[in-house]
């Protein structure tokens, strides 16, 4: 097997393993990875609304079903959607207090999982890995 093929397979395999570990960590909170991502995006708005386009642009995994993800979070009471009073075609999406509370708990579980995933790497190795991955994406 050629080195470039081996590298890509290794990256994909590793990404899947990481996704599975983080999915397992958030499963008890009854949210999916994309829902977790949307909650983090909305928290990052610091009280300001976001629209579907903004959320979709900031998603880690770009997907066309952002509306469905937001709808599920609304059903769970974790976000709310408000029609802009100045422009009725504009919809603003906010994280709720319940969403912020849940996100705090999920963030702890995810951080613990992330630390476990990289626990066998030194700080220098982590820095080097980040530099290599940044270079690969640029």
């Amino acid at each position: 097997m050629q080195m470039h093929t081996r590298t890509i397979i290794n990256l994909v395999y590793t990404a899947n393993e990481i996704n599975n570990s983080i999915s397992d960590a958030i499963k008890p909170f009854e949210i999916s990875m994309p829902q977790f991502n949307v909650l983090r995006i909305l928290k990052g708005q610091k009280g300001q609304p976001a629209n579907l386009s903004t959320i979709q642009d900031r998603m880690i995994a770009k997907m066309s079903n952002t509306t469905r993800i937001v709808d599920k979070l609304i059903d769970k009471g974790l976000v709310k959607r408000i029609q802009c009073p100045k422009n009725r075609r504009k919809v603003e999406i906010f994280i709720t207090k319940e969403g912020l509370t849940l996100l705090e708990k999920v963030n702890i579980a995810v951080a613990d999982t992330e630390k476990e995933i990289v626990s066998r790497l030194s700080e220098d190795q982590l820095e080097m890995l980040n530099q290599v991955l940044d270079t690969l994406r640029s």
Side-chain angles (χ1 to χ4, degrees), residues 31 40 43 45 50-51 75 81 83 107 115 127 129:
I31 62 170
R40 286 172 42 163
K43 182 182 182 211
Q45 292 290 110
N51 58 40
D75 291 345
R81 180 179 12 225
Q83 196 171 36
N107 279 336
K115 287 175 191 169
E127 183 61 39
L129 178 58

Side-chain angles (χ1 to χ4, degrees), residues 99-114:
L100 287 170
T101 300
L102 179 71
L103 187 58
E104 284 180 34
K105 295 173 187 172
V106 177
N107 279 336
I108 292 167
V110 169
D112 289 345
T113 301
E114 290 169 344

Side-chain angles (χ1 to χ4, degrees), residues 52-97:
L52 286 171
S53 176
T54 300
I55 293 170
Q56 191 163 6
D57 289 345
R58 294 185 184 165
M59 293 285 288
I60 291 172
K62 311 287 185 216
M63 51 184 71
S64 60
N65 60 354
T66 307
T67 301
R68 190 171 56 82
I69 295 166
V70 169
D71 287 345
K72 287 186 176 190
L73 290 169
I74 289 169
D75 291 345
K76 294 176 182 186
L78 302 174
V79 304
K80 62 183 176 180
R81 180 179 12 225
I82 299 172
Q83 196 171 36
C84 178
K86 296 176 185 171
N87 179 353
R88 293 174 33 142
R89 291 178 293 170
K90 185 177 176 187
V91 175
E92 298 176 332
I93 302 161
F94 296 86
I95 190 167
T96 64
K97 230 179 247 189

